[in-house]
Amino acid sequence: MSSEQWAVLIEESGKVHVVELTSGTVKIKGLGVFDPQATLDGISIGDTVTIGQKELRRLPPRLPELSKGMLRRAQTISAKDAGFFVTRLGIGSGDAVLEAGIGSAGLSLHIARALGGTGIHTTVEPRQEHAEVGLENLRRAKSVWQEFPQHHHVEGRIEDSTDAIKAIHSTYDAIILDLPDHPPAIAAVAECLSKGGRLACYCPVTSQLEAAWEACESAGLQVEWAGELMEREWGRASRGGMRPVNGPFGHTAFLLVAQRL
């Protein structure tokens, strides 16, 4: 599909806007009222354009830009943790991935990019108001990326949706759970994991991490790794050199990876 359906615009501050190239005057949050198609016609990648009082540069719609400019409702999984999941679970071309707790689709975008055009991506979300936002972010990505996996969405709790999940694909190479209560989901979908496949959990608090660990062992999965990833940004000092930027270390959640052997 043509990448001209959407445009990525970035402010000098770094704020990203993902604008649908519709014809006609519309109001776009953060940018004001203008005609997207007419205003951006002839503005190539790398060029700048003035909209209202803002000067913006047009960039290609890659994963970092779509992630920064995504619609948000639920808390999203950061690139730090998403990259760990994609790498540690070995997600790649041709795989089948099951993701429960799509939220705003922060992780989903990373999964879709890794799967390319030959993978299967099944998402499950019980909250319709969250799913609507997440699915719109995936729709944007599908319209601008040259390759996009076969995507299926199931509405409901994952432990109540195993028949629908299996109907889409009998087994999955990777399963990722971002839920308030992991044990029922782990018990329900452990059998959907292919031999050698891995299951991961995103746990905001330590009690969830411990419960997920115990549930994985009860389901016959071997826990490979559990812990947290810390992120510390550095910047240039005013008098020269580099130093850590003032702020938190960047803890987001506790992560767990288990494998079916």
Side-chain angles (χ1 to χ4, degrees), residues 62-199:
R62 302 189 189 280
L63 175 59
E65 284 70 38
L66 291 188
S67 294
K68 290 178 183 178
M70 66 188 291
L71 301 173
R72 296 175 185 270
R73 184 179 178 93
Q75 183 69 29
T76 61
I77 293 179
S78 69
K80 167 177 69 74
D81 296 327
F84 174 85
F85 281 148
V86 169
T87 303
R88 196 65 188 247
L89 273 63
I91 296 172
S93 177
D95 285 344
V97 178
L98 172 62
E99 178 193 2
I102 180 177
S104 298
L107 173 61
S108 302
L109 291 173
H110 287 79
I111 293 173
R113 192 63 160 167
L115 288 175
T118 59
I120 296 174
H121 184 199
T122 301
T123 54
V124 184
E125 174 59 62
R127 295 157 296 186
Q128 184 180 6
E129 67 277 14
H130 288 174
E132 288 176 353
V133 174
L135 293 175
E136 174 60 21
N137 285 321
L138 286 176
R139 186 180 75 86
R140 290 180 175 184
K142 183 177 181 179
S143 72
V144 297
W145 290 345
Q146 290 185 354
E147 295 185 349
F148 198 84
Q150 183 186 138
H151 177 252
H152 304 269
H153 182 69
V154 177
E155 186 176 324
R157 299 192 310 162
I158 191 168
E159 53 265 41
D160 300 328
S161 307
T162 53
D163 288 342
I165 291 166
K166 291 178 183 177
I168 295 167
H169 204 265
S170 58
T171 60
Y172 290 84
D173 302 294
I175 298 175
I176 304 177
L177 307 175
D178 176 15
L179 304 166
D181 189 18
H182 291 92
I186 293 170
V189 300
E191 63 177 3
C192 298
L193 198 61
S194 62
K195 292 180 180 179
R198 289 175 170 83
L199 178 146

Side-chain angles (χ1 to χ4, degrees), residues 15-107:
K15 184 176 182 179
V16 175
H17 303 269
V18 182
V19 178
E20 188 168 12
L21 295 178
T22 55
S23 178
T25 301
V26 293
K27 183 176 182 180
I28 296 178
K29 185 177 179 180
L31 293 179
V33 178
F34 66 103
D35 184 325
Q37 192 174 78
T39 302
L40 298 174
D41 183 41
I43 305 298
S44 302
I45 299 297
D47 290 347
T48 59
V49 60
T50 300
I51 300 177
Q53 301 298 314
K54 295 180 178 180
E55 184 172 296
L56 305 109
R57 186 174 302 277
R58 186 169 184 179
L59 295 178
R62 302 189 189 280
L63 175 59
E65 284 70 38
L66 291 188
S67 294
K68 290 178 183 178
M70 66 188 291
L71 301 173
R72 296 175 185 270
R73 184 179 178 93
Q75 183 69 29
T76 61
I77 293 179
S78 69
K80 167 177 69 74
D81 296 327
F84 174 85
F85 281 148
V86 169
T87 303
R88 196 65 188 247
L89 273 63
I91 296 172
S93 177
D95 285 344
V97 178
L98 172 62
E99 178 193 2
I102 180 177
S104 298
L107 173 61

Side-chain angles (χ1 to χ4, degrees), residues 231-252:
E231 186 175 53
R232 190 181 193 187
E233 184 180 357
W234 284 55
R236 296 183 65 182
S238 59
R239 297 184 180 180
M242 303 287 294
R243 68 179 306 278
V245 174
N246 293 331
F249 273 96
H251 166 79
T252 47

